[in-house]
Amino acid sequence: LFHVQPLWLLLLGPLVLREAVDGQSWLAVLLAMLGLVLASGVAQAGLGAGQGASVWLGVCLCLIGSACTAGVSISARKLQGLSAAALAWWHCALGSVALLVWPMTQGWPAWGSSWAWLAGLGLVHTALAYGLMYAGMARLPAGRIARLQFIYPAVALALDWAVYGQRLGAVQLAGVGLM
């Protein structure tokens, strides 16, 4: 559900960036979305009847998160005068402030290795990876960014197979092919 963000990008691109999204981008993203549904197994598992309220809360939170992620991509395009490193820093700072309520109410992690891992994830993964992504996004139109967003779930499925031995069925493989 989180990976509906390319649809948000296609909708927000013309509104915020004032750039047209061609029919080919719409078709590619819609086919990739179909592939994502098939590859994820959601179509076989079903979602809806008999599910508790917590499932629907999760659905809503995923949709909000996907809209925020699309907003990050749009801001990378809109704020081209800001360096990718500065943009990543501001996004991390805003995310940290937004998430600060959790440790304030639930307790802080113990000092030591957990803080080292957190710093490593923040400095290596976020600063490096997002800095590189933002630098690339600043140069691409929204339609192309939306199409490239399907690399994430495809790589996740490939790693799930390679690392954890999770085998994909025929329907799921067809979904990966569509992505």
Side-chain angles (χ1 to χ4, degrees), residues 22-81:
D22 62 350
Q24 186 179 9
S25 291
W26 276 103
L27 180 62
V29 167
L30 290 174
L31 283 174
M33 286 297 300
L34 174 62
L36 181 62
V37 168
L38 295 174
S40 68
V42 170
Q44 294 92 333
L47 182 65
Q51 301 292 331
S54 63
V55 170
W56 292 109
L57 174 63
V59 167
C60 291
L61 292 174
C62 278
L63 292 175
I64 290 168
S66 69
C68 290
T69 302
V72 165
S73 299
I74 292 291
S75 70
R77 287 275 297 123
K78 189 82 171 163
L79 301 172
Q80 290 182 358

Side-chain angles (χ1 to χ4, degrees), residues 58-178:
V59 167
C60 291
L61 292 174
C62 278
L63 292 175
I64 290 168
S66 69
C68 290
T69 302
V72 165
S73 299
I74 292 291
S75 70
R77 287 275 297 123
K78 189 82 171 163
L79 301 172
Q80 290 182 358
L82 194 61
S83 75
L87 188 59
W89 187 90
W90 278 107
H91 284 156
C92 290
L94 289 172
S96 297
V97 169
L99 296 174
L100 189 60
V101 85
W102 179 264
M104 291 179 77
T105 60
Q106 304 298 314
W108 294 89
W111 287 102
S113 65
S114 59
W115 284 94
W117 278 103
L118 182 62
L121 284 172
L123 294 173
V124 175
H125 178 266
T126 305
L128 181 61
Y130 282 90
L132 291 171
M133 284 187 350
Y134 293 157
M137 284 181 193
R139 295 173 178 87
L140 297 174
R144 173 111 7 124
I145 295 170
R147 286 181 275 173
L148 289 171
Q149 293 297 318
F150 289 98
I151 291 173
Y152 289 121
V155 168
L157 288 167
L159 287 175
D160 200 25
W161 168 75
V163 175
Y164 299 111
Q166 180 66 39
R167 302 289 179 238
L168 300 179
V171 172
Q172 291 175 303
L173 286 172
V176 172
L178 280 173

Side-chain angles (χ1 to χ4, degrees), residues 8-21 26 74 142:
W8 294 120
L9 278 171
L10 292 182
L11 291 171
L12 292 172
L15 294 173
V16 177
L17 301 174
R18 305 282 187 239
E19 59 184 51
V21 177
W26 276 103
I74 292 291

